[in-house]
Amino acid sequence: MLKNNFKYILFLLVLLLLSCAKRGFITGGLKDTIAPVLKMSFPKNFSTNFNAHEIKLTFDEYIKLKDLRKQLIISPPMKNEPLILPTNVSKYLSIKINDTLQPNTTYSFNFGQSIVDNNEGNPLNQLKYVFSTGTYIDSLTLGGTLKDAYNKEVESFVSVMLYDVNDKFEDSVVYNQNPRYITNTLDSAKTFKLENLKAGKYLLVAMKDYNLNTKFNPEKDKIGFRKQFISIPNDTLFELQLFKEVRPFKSFKSIQASGNRLILPYEGNAKNAKITLKNKEEVLTSIVTKSPKKDSLQVWFQTLKTDSLQLAVAKDKYKGDFTFRIKAQKKDTLSIVAIQKGILNFRDKFTLESTTPLAHFDNSKIKLINKDSVSAAFTTSYDDFNQQLLFDFKKEPSEKYTFRIMPGALTDYLEQSNDTLIYKLATKELADYGNLTVRLQNVKRFPVIVELTNEKGNVLATEYSEGNTKVEFNLVEPSLFTLRLIYDDNKNKEWDSGNFLEKRQAEEVVYFSKPIDVRANWDVEQVFDVCIPYKSEPKKKVGKKK
């Protein structure tokens, strides 16, 4: 009996121990979120009368360098970059100066977020090492904001620079010299602050410096500048607008693409360029069109037998003369492609694009009928530069249309004609679209271009106003739009960029602060106060039927 009780008690103890046991896992503790700390520097940070050739920085934990070339800003820039070691994991950094330092000058090394701890990558934010080769540290500052002259958002890593204005100053300084002071917005900020400045007169410039060489390359870089020189000290907050210059027109050697076509690459704006094609002294009849999706012109000519041709190109101050051999090649053939397929929106014109320039089009050989086989009237216009034939007609809702283009209706400059072409189109209900009325307030001057764009900046609809403050976008496809206004100062109905040497700013662009939601079967009315765009509020007549 006693033996049985002992077994029973032992069984209960085992169950009790098992029920109390808990399974667990060994953990490494809390995640490290603390950035490295600079423990010591030699020479000391903010030293004066600096004459050392090497700087040593010691940290409280192992660190490594990340994106040092993009993040490190040395002001003033050094002609010979310092050597920063080691490049692997360490508790210290050595900065070996390979340049002759300027006298009585304050230098700063801003490491941005390039110093991170080895384990978790926590960045030591904006570590600055500052020293002066003179008897004091310059302490003046200058600040401001950046924006893109055309796009809604400005890019990251924009450099902001100050150039000394003295008896040796020339405008070409941005192309071939380092600035006196420099800072960078790094990857997030749209504001800038230049620190440790000396009193004086300066040129203020912002640059999206893709080559990271502090030199302005107009072919790649964006630039923004203050037209007037500034004096420091100055407590003004400056706004700089970045733009990409349109290069002066220049053409390059042409390429023969077929037996009757040359490709002429160019840079800049080719509008109104004069192209003259010659066979010895004979001026040939030619047609110039834009090459699709390329910065090239197409020069079309009649097939002829000759060994070579001469091409003269002129625009503004540019003149180019080219001679090239003509090879026997096949001529281009006529092909027609419809831009719209299936649905035709009410704001669009039906458009045909041809592979060769059209010389004649016979409307009597073109029929437009609706779903009841009733003929509809239409008009045509031809965009010769883009080789597009446009059809305009009154569109009815929920209708089906058929374009029947008979043989010989379209003839190109080589006397090639089309075969029978049939295009079927349809329209939607009016209720499938929305209407947007924009009421402009405090417009500083006219004319203006008002545009609706998508998130990528593609223009979806545009209206031009020479004085009317009520701008209507009727029957637009439902979407979330960005609204912007362009002051068209030269009245050419397009936005124009600026030019640094000409001291010309880009045409002013103002964005409405919030996306505008235009839904199907909605009328939306939006007040756009151009002077205070960030305080305007959308006003919608919710659910109003058209």
Side-chain angles (χ1 to χ4, degrees):
M1 185 72 177
L2 182 61
K3 185 177 181 179
N4 289 337
N5 287 339
F6 179 77
K7 289 182 177 180
Y8 181 73
I9 293 171
L10 183 63
F11 178 72
L12 289 177
L13 287 172
V14 171
L15 285 179
L16 182 63
L17 288 172
L18 288 174
S19 66
C20 291
K22 293 183 180 179
R23 292 187 179 182
F25 300 92
I26 298 175
T27 65
L30 295 175
K31 182 179 179 181
D32 179 15
T33 60
I34 300 175
V37 175
L38 178 64
K39 290 182 62 179
M40 187 187 337
S41 60
F42 182 82
K44 289 184 177 181
N45 206 353
F46 295 97
S47 293
T48 57
N49 296 312
F50 184 95
N51 59 6
H53 298 289
E54 184 176 6
I55 303 165
K56 289 190 175 181
L57 306 178
T58 304
F59 301 89
D60 68 337
E61 62 178 309
Y62 285 98
I63 57 99
K64 56 187 177 183
L65 298 176
K66 180 180 179 182
D67 295 331
L68 182 66
R69 189 164 184 262
K70 289 182 70 175
Q71 294 278 346
L72 176 62
I73 305 298
I74 304 174
S75 181
M78 295 180 175
K79 184 177 180 180
N80 301 314
E81 292 186 2
L83 179 62
I84 300 178
L85 296 172
T87 56
N88 55 357
V89 176
S90 175
K91 279 192 174 184
Y92 72 90
L93 286 179
S94 169
I95 306 171
K96 294 184 178 180
I97 298 174
N98 297 319
D99 212 345
T100 300
L101 300 178
Q102 302 174 37
N104 300 316
T105 300
T106 299
Y107 286 84
S108 69
F109 287 69
N110 188 335
F111 286 85
Q113 294 188 325
S114 63
I115 299 174
V116 300
D117 67 30
N118 182 48
N119 293 324
E120 300 295 341
N122 299 309
L124 174 54
N125 192 40
Q126 305 290 335
L127 172 65
K128 287 185 68 175
Y129 181 84
V130 180
F131 64 85
S132 173
T133 56
T135 58
Y136 60 91
I137 301 287
D138 292 319
S139 59
L140 297 176
T141 63
L142 184 77
T145 59
L146 298 174
K147 64 179 292 189
D148 192 286
Y150 184 71
N151 298 313
K152 190 171 185 180
E153 298 296 334
V154 67
E155 294 182 67
S156 302
F157 293 99
V158 175
S159 297
V160 182
M161 297 168 281
L162 288 173
Y163 295 85
D164 271 318
V165 177
N166 50 35
D167 55 356
K168 296 181 181 179
F169 175 83
E170 295 179 352
D171 284 339
S172 59
V173 66
V174 300
Y175 301 93
N176 51 41
Q177 294 185 32
N178 285 330
R180 175 63 184 269
Y181 298 107
I182 184 170
T183 189
N184 194 285
T185 61
L186 300 182
D187 58 353
S188 59
K190 303 301 180 275
T191 60
F192 65 87
K193 187 175 183 181
L194 289 147
E195 298 179 305
N196 303 116
L197 309 179
K198 183 189 292 289
K201 184 187 290 187
Y202 299 94
L203 169 69
L204 176 61
V205 170
M207 192 185 304
K208 177 57 184 175
D209 180 16
Y210 290 100
N211 289 333
L212 301 178
N213 62 356
T214 69
K215 306 293 192 302
F216 178 45
N217 179 0
E219 294 182 1
K220 293 183 179 180
D221 299 337
K222 289 183 177 181
I223 194 168
F225 62 95
R226 179 78 176 174
K227 186 175 181 180
Q228 297 81 16
F229 298 137
I230 65 170
S231 295
I232 294 176
N234 196 316
D235 58 2
T236 303
L237 289 176
F238 295 95
E239 181 183 79
L240 298 176
Q241 300 189 49
L242 289 148
F243 57 83
K244 175 77 167 58
E245 286 189 356
V246 176
R247 304 298 298 142
F249 175 81
K250 178 182 178 181
S251 63
F252 303 96
K253 188 174 181 180
S254 57
I255 304 165
Q256 185 180 356
S258 69
N260 50 266
R261 177 167 55 102
L262 304 172
I263 298 294
L264 183 66
Y266 68 88
E267 68 178 17
N269 187 346
K271 190 176 181 180
N272 299 324
K274 184 179 180 181
I275 312 293
T276 305
L277 188 64
K278 287 185 177 182
N279 181 16
K280 298 178 181 178
E281 297 301 318
E282 178 189 3
V283 176
L284 302 177
T285 300
S286 61
I287 300 172
V288 179
T289 66
K290 179 75 171 65
S291 182
K293 299 180 181 180
K294 295 181 181 179
D295 286 339
S296 300
L297 297 175
Q298 300 181 111
V299 183
W300 304 82
F301 57 93
Q302 296 285 348
T303 305
L304 74 165
K305 291 184 178 180
T306 186
D307 292 331
S308 62
L309 292 175
Q310 297 78 45
L311 189 68
V313 186
K315 184 184 178 183
D316 301 329
K317 298 179 181 179
Y318 174 80
K319 290 185 179 180
D321 294 289
F322 305 94
T323 299
F324 49 90
R325 296 184 62 82
I326 291 293
K327 300 177 182 179
Q329 294 186 16
K330 292 182 179 180
K331 69 178 184 179
D332 290 293
T333 57
L334 174 63
S335 179
I336 306 294
V337 176
I339 300 298
Q340 298 90 359
K341 297 178 181 179
I343 298 298
L344 182 64
N345 294 315
F346 287 94
R347 294 179 62 89
D348 296 338
K349 295 180 180 180
F350 179 56
T351 305
L352 298 179
E353 192 170 75
S354 61
T355 54
T356 55
L358 296 180
H360 308 286
F361 38 95
D362 187 350
N363 286 358
S364 67
K365 295 182 179 180
I366 303 174
K367 300 295 182 184
L368 172 61
I369 59 173
N370 62 16
K371 60 186 175 185
D372 297 323
S373 299
V374 176
S375 296
F378 64 90
T379 58
T380 54
S381 59
Y382 185 61
D383 180 351
D384 52 0
F385 192 61
N386 293 298
Q387 297 173 209
Q388 292 182 341
L389 182 63
L390 295 88
F391 295 83
D392 196 14
F393 61 96
K394 184 179 179 182
K395 306 174 193 68
E396 299 295 339
S398 296
E399 186 61 272
K400 293 182 179 179
Y401 295 96
T402 300
F403 270 99
R404 182 180 293 272
I405 302 177
M406 304 304 292
L410 311 177
T411 305
D412 71 4
Y413 82 111
L414 293 173
E415 300 298 324
Q416 301 174 121
S417 298
N418 65 288
D419 295 325
T420 299
L421 300 171
I422 298 176
Y423 302 99
K424 295 184 180 294
L425 304 165
T427 56
K428 297 180 181 179
E429 291 279 2
L430 294 179
D432 292 328
Y433 297 89
N435 295 327
L436 171 61
T437 299
V438 179
R439 297 190 179 275
L440 304 174
Q441 291 183 353
N442 296 315
V443 179
K444 292 185 285 188
R445 56 193 179 275
F446 285 93
V448 295
I449 306 168
V450 184
E451 294 179 333
L452 299 180
T453 74
N454 60 16
E455 291 182 352
K456 296 181 179 179
N458 300 323
V459 178
L460 304 179
T462 182
E463 295 291 340
Y464 195 75
S465 174
E466 295 181 337
N468 195 347
T469 57
K470 179 182 177 181
V471 180
E472 295 183 304
F473 294 93
N474 293 324
L475 299 172
V476 295
E477 289 189 87
S479 185
L480 198 63
F481 294 106
T482 296
L483 173 64
R484 72 180 170 205
L485 177 142
I486 300 170
Y487 286 102
D488 186 25
D489 293 327
N490 63 359
K491 302 180 181 181
N492 65 348
K493 297 187 177 181
E494 62 184 25
W495 178 79
D496 290 280
S497 188
N499 185 279
F500 174 76
L501 288 179
E502 297 175 7
K503 292 296 179 281
R504 174 167 48 84
Q505 300 286 354
E507 287 183 327
E508 185 179 356
V509 178
V510 182
Y511 279 87
F512 186 68
S513 60
K514 298 179 181 179
I516 299 176
D517 188 8
V518 179
R519 302 182 185 181
N521 203 31
W522 273 32
D523 289 333
V524 179
E525 185 171 318
Q526 177 63 62
V527 175
F528 187 1
D529 190 327
V530 180
C531 287
I532 322 174
Y534 295 101
K535 293 186 180 179
S536 296
E537 293 293 335
K539 295 182 179 180
K540 298 179 180 179
K541 298 177 182 179
V542 181
K544 181 181 177 183
K545 303 288 185 180
K546 290 188 284 289

